[in-house]
Amino acid sequence: MISASFLSSKNIPLTLKELNDTDVDFIHVDVMDGKYVNNKTLPFKEMRHIYKYTTKRLDVHLMVLKPSNYIKNYASLNSEYISIHLDILEDVLTNLKLIKSYGIKAGIVLNPNDEVSTIIPYLPYIDLIIVMGVIPGEGSQKFIDKTINKLKELNVLKKEYPNFKFKISIDGGINNTIVKKIKTLVDIIVSGSYITKSNDYQTQINSLR
Ligand code: DX5
Ligand code: ZN
């Protein structure tokens, strides 16, 4: 499945409308607080308008130090997943439970330097693991090749813990070349600039499938 990020878009309403006309599976919503990462996304009072431009389900990526300040808001949108990082200022498990309390699937995001083993305690609570292919904070960066090992480790983990049905996603630096190396290791491919900087979104999406 493909999840499209509009982080690098200069015209978010137009990008969302054009993505809605494609067969993309999810819209990946990057939320940045200016603290967990340097960049800051629009406030929720602007972001909540997403529903006016798309009927696609949302895959929300919270790059914030205090997810509990954001979860209720994003849970009120058409969200399929809300995912949080591990190195936050709040308790991870409490936030995963908060996401699930709204009936939304919960995810954990692993940064390039986070070890796969760190997610083991959370396995009973997570539906999605997003592996960052770049350092979080901005779009259009180059894919860090060593993250492919993490995807392989996660696939091993999946076999070791068959009771836990988490999906594996990759986020950052994906294009039609990189995708060939990771396709068989992931369930959901997040792609931003490769799609949104093109003038034919559907062709780009097709080339990632
Ligand atoms: C990075 C974001 C990614 C990114 C994807 O901080 O989490 O979602 O914007 O964009 P590309 O595909 O351009 O790396
Ligand atoms: Zn993201």
Side-chain angles (χ1 to χ4, degrees):
M1 286 190 287
I2 311 287
S3 186
S5 158
F6 58 86
L7 184 61
S8 298
S9 166
K10 299 272 176 288
N11 184 341
I12 295 173
L14 183 64
T15 297
L16 289 172
K17 275 189 230 162
E18 289 186 3
L19 284 170
N20 203 47
D21 292 335
T22 71
D23 66 3
V24 82
D25 300 279
F26 298 106
I27 300 298
H28 181 87
V29 183
D30 286 305
V31 180
M32 309 191 287
D33 63 357
K35 296 185 189 109
Y36 183 80
V37 290
N38 290 331
N39 286 328
K40 205 169 175 175
T41 35
L42 296 170
F44 183 72
K45 66 175 176 17
E46 304 288 337
M47 291 289 255
R48 71 184 182 82
H49 297 300
I50 288 173
Y51 74 89
K52 292 182 185 162
Y53 310 109
T54 186
T55 54
K56 304 273 183 191
R57 301 282 285 163
L58 309 179
D59 153 33
V60 179
H61 175 190
L62 296 180
M63 289 172 268
V64 303
L65 287 176
K66 296 185 174 175
S68 67
N69 292 343
Y70 297 79
I71 290 168
K72 188 178 180 200
N73 279 342
Y74 283 92
S76 73
L77 301 182
N78 191 14
S79 300
E80 176 90 7
Y81 296 101
I82 297 181
S83 303
I84 60 172
H85 282 262
L86 291 167
D87 48 345
I88 52 177
L89 285 181
E90 296 176 334
D91 184 54
V92 170
L93 190 54
T94 307
N95 276 287
L96 293 173
K97 287 182 179 167
L98 181 61
I99 295 166
K100 300 203 71 104
S101 74
Y102 293 102
I104 290 169
K105 294 174 184 157
I108 280 185
V109 192
L110 289 175
N111 282 332
N113 293 324
D114 291 339
E115 301 277 345
V116 163
S117 59
T118 53
I119 59 157
I120 292 175
Y122 306 112
L123 284 178
Y125 306 92
I126 52 187
D127 304 285
L128 178 70
I129 298 169
I130 302 180
V131 173
M132 291 305 302
V134 299
I135 307 282
E138 55 187 321
S140 313
Q141 301 181 71
K142 189 179 176 299
F143 184 76
I144 301 168
D145 259 307
K146 74 167 203 269
T147 55
I148 296 176
N149 293 333
K150 206 169 285 171
L151 295 175
K152 289 180 182 157
E153 283 177 51
L154 280 170
N155 278 272
V156 172
L157 194 75
K158 218 172 179 171
K159 289 207 178 81
E160 280 173 10
Y161 295 89
N163 291 343
F164 301 130
K165 308 251 178 273
F166 57 87
K167 297 243 186 295
I168 302 173
S169 176
I170 181 91
D171 180 18
I174 300 298
N175 57 36
N176 57 338
T177 316
I178 305 290
V179 80
K180 294 194 183 87
K181 304 192 210 174
I182 52 106
K183 210 178 227 175
T184 59
L185 301 169
V186 300
D187 304 292
I188 302 174
I189 294 161
V190 178
S191 173
S193 51
Y194 176 71
I195 299 174
T196 62
K197 287 196 173 155
S198 135
N199 51 23
D200 185 349
Y201 291 2
Q202 186 64 59
T203 300
Q204 301 299 89
I205 291 162
N206 293 346
S207 73
L208 295 174
R209 291 202 188 274

